[in-house]
Amino acid sequence: MPLFAYKALAANGSVTTGEIDAADRPEALRVLDRKGLQPVNLRETAAAVSARKSSGSAKAKAEDSDHSKPDAKEAIPEGPIKLKRAEVVLFTEELSDMLSAGLQLEPALKSMENRQELGNLKAVSFKIRQIVRDGVNFSVALKKVSPSFGPLYCSLAAAGEASGALDDILKRQAHYLKTLAELQARLILAMIYPAFLILAGIGVSIIFITVLIPQLTALIQTSGGKMPLGAAILIGASAFIKKWWIVMLLTIIAALIFFKAWKDNDANKPAWDRMKLNLPLVGPVITSRFYVQFLETMANLVGNGLPLLRALELSRDATQNRGLRGELDKVIAQVGDGRSFSKALIRNGAFPPLLIDMISVGEQTGKIDQSLRRAAERFDKELDKSLQRIMALVMPTVLIIMAGLIGTMAYLMITAIFQTISNLN
């Protein structure tokens, strides 16, 4: 059995070191948690690694050298490998299925290398397996090999490793990525008709400004009549746009560049994350998605034996929105002081009563993981309803805006034409 050397924090804050026997790294982490130790550093000892490597025969080494790499015709790209979202989903589903079937991580990755239809994923699997074989965590290997996995994916993978539920975490992450892809596809389909209307509206506006309004102006001047107020407003706006459109376009572009630079600045990211939570329609969706992800992650971690405080810390690390992460920091501080999970959520005041009630029931029955999973299912249904409402509102909103814009311009034009004809008579 492998021997792991560790450095950990005890409950009284002191640093302790030692060695433990465990089948693999997740098992070693669970042993430390049962002892009440918070791991700071955990690695397989050099002697164990050497023994494990030397235990293989020369034939096994030859086979590994022949088959661990993709075909010689397929060169492995240097540096990080970018993947499409569909490839990330495929990788996640394949790996979670193999882990659920009982394979260890390294054999599962090697099996994916030998698949002929995975394309770039063969190279990704090979690189990840080589890094994992050196004793590096799977989540760290993901960051090194491909930026396409993202911080959220890597944080959830780290949580799955710590809890020994990597297969469940990956399965739920695959479901999340597929749901996100389906949502984007539905959004694109729903925006085709509104986009056509917007382009048509822009075309009609250009015709109004460049053709119809100059003709209307000449007609009014020829008739010698007084220019109607609506026509005067329309002609003034047309003249202003024709004169300053370059300045307006450059101003809009500069504002977008400035906003992106401000948003991407690390000092401003917390403020931007809080602003996103307050945006109409978007804010509730972000919050509901956080509840679903937080509850599912907590259910997996607690259900696999991790202490509540450690599960909260890992769930916080998997939260990307800094505003929501700050709320979790407050909850973690109160749970660390000895308060129950539900009481800490009540004192925080930022979590919905339904979530708190279901967690409270789980604490009373001793089945908090089941309560967390049921709460996640409830909020997942609410999230789906919110997304359906947003999709249903997109088209009517665009139609109303375009109808109001084109209708106003047409009304002003027709009114000016009739008044001009009246003046001529």
Side-chain angles (χ1 to χ4, degrees):
M1 184 174 289
L3 187 65
F4 290 86
Y6 68 87
K7 179 180 179 182
L9 293 175
N12 58 6
S14 62
V15 178
T16 179
T17 59
E19 295 180 345
I20 55 174
D21 292 325
D24 51 22
R25 185 181 179 85
E27 177 64 25
L29 291 170
R30 286 195 290 271
V31 172
L32 291 176
D33 283 330
R34 286 196 292 269
K35 292 182 177 181
L37 298 177
Q38 178 67 40
V40 176
N41 186 15
L42 179 66
R43 59 182 177 80
E44 192 172 354
T45 59
V49 174
S50 176
R52 177 164 52 82
K53 289 184 177 179
S54 62
S55 62
S57 63
K59 181 180 178 180
K61 291 181 179 179
E63 290 178 355
D64 185 68
S65 62
D66 290 338
H67 302 291
S68 63
K69 291 185 179 181
D71 296 339
K73 297 179 181 179
E74 302 178 12
I76 300 176
E78 296 293 336
I81 303 173
K82 291 186 178 180
L83 301 174
K84 299 177 182 178
R85 175 171 291 168
E87 292 177 324
V88 175
V89 173
L90 179 59
F91 173 85
T92 308
E93 288 182 328
E94 290 279 345
L95 187 57
S96 64
D97 289 342
M98 292 183 185
L99 294 176
S100 300
L103 267 70
Q104 295 296 320
L105 180 60
E106 187 179 340
L109 289 170
K110 185 174 181 181
S111 176
M112 294 180 67
E113 293 175 30
N114 297 328
R115 295 285 298 273
Q116 298 299 319
E117 69 275 12
L118 290 182
N120 286 337
L121 293 185
K122 296 176 68 175
V124 169
S125 301
F126 170 74
K127 283 191 169 186
I128 293 175
R129 189 172 74 88
Q130 296 303 312
I131 296 174
V132 170
R133 287 181 62 183
D134 293 336
V136 180
N137 287 349
F138 175 63
S139 56
V140 177
L142 290 174
K143 293 179 184 179
K144 291 182 177 180
V145 172
S146 176
S148 303
F149 291 108
L152 174 60
Y153 191 106
C154 296
S155 298
L156 290 174
E161 285 182 297
S163 64
L166 183 59
D167 53 340
D168 291 335
I169 293 288
L170 290 177
K171 190 173 296 183
R172 293 186 179 277
Q173 184 66 4
H175 173 71
Y176 166 69
L177 292 173
K178 289 171 66 176
T179 302
L180 189 61
E182 291 173 2
L183 174 62
Q184 289 183 343
R186 287 164 54 192
L187 182 61
I188 292 173
L189 289 175
M191 288 300 296
I192 290 177
Y193 183 58
F196 174 77
L197 290 179
I198 291 173
L199 291 176
I202 293 173
V204 171
S205 300
I206 292 174
I207 293 174
F208 267 98
I209 293 172
T210 58
V211 178
L212 297 180
I213 291 179
Q215 293 180 358
L216 177 62
T217 304
L219 180 62
I220 293 175
Q221 291 174 351
T222 303
S223 66
K226 183 180 179 181
M227 188 170 296
L229 177 61
I233 294 174
L234 199 60
I235 292 171
S238 173
F240 179 81
I241 293 173
K242 289 176 67 176
K243 184 177 181 180
W244 298 101
W245 70 271
I246 296 179
V247 177
M248 294 169 64
L249 180 61
L250 293 176
T251 302
I252 293 172
I253 294 174
L256 292 175
I257 294 174
F258 174 79
F259 172 73
K260 187 178 186 305
W262 177 86
K263 177 177 67 70
D264 294 339
N265 191 344
D266 291 336
N268 300 322
K269 285 183 178 179
W272 170 237
D273 285 342
R274 288 191 294 270
M275 289 172 59
K276 287 192 291 187
L277 297 177
N278 296 321
L279 291 175
L281 297 179
V282 178
V285 171
I286 294 175
T287 306
S288 297
R289 181 59 233 175
F290 159 72
Y291 290 146
V292 174
Q293 175 193 313
F294 169 69
L295 292 168
E296 287 182 345
T297 305
M298 285 291 297
N300 285 324
L301 298 179
V302 174
N304 283 277
L306 249 68
L308 179 62
L309 187 59
R310 180 60 177 158
L312 283 169
E313 291 172 348
L314 291 171
S315 300
R316 175 202 58 196
D317 295 339
T319 302
Q320 299 303 304
N321 188 286
R322 288 167 176 77
L324 296 171
R325 191 185 298 176
E327 300 298 334
L328 287 180
D329 284 332
K330 299 176 184 177
V331 173
I332 291 171
Q334 295 182 37
V335 172
D337 291 338
R339 289 190 177 87
S340 66
F341 188 20
S342 58
K343 294 288 180 61
L345 294 176
I346 292 172
R347 288 178 63 88
N348 181 270
F351 294 85
L354 175 62
L355 186 150
I356 298 173
D357 291 340
M358 297 189 74
I359 291 176
S360 178
V361 171
E363 289 177 332
Q364 295 172 13
T365 60
K367 299 179 180 179
I368 189 171
D369 56 331
Q370 297 181 13
S371 296
L372 288 168
R373 190 161 283 113
R374 284 195 294 268
E377 293 173 357
R378 291 283 298 273
F379 279 99
D380 196 19
K381 293 178 182 178
E382 293 297 324
L383 175 61
D384 187 60
K385 291 179 182 177
S386 299
L387 293 175
Q388 290 179 2
R389 284 195 293 267
I390 292 175
M391 299 297 295
L393 286 173
V394 168
M395 188 175 297
T397 302
V398 173
L399 286 173
I400 291 173
I401 293 173
M402 296 307 299
L405 177 63
I406 303 300
T408 300
M409 296 178 68
Y411 172 77
L412 293 176
M413 288 286 296
I414 293 172
T415 302
I417 291 171
F418 275 110
Q419 186 166 347
T420 303
I421 293 173
S422 177
N423 291 336
L424 289 173
N425 292 333

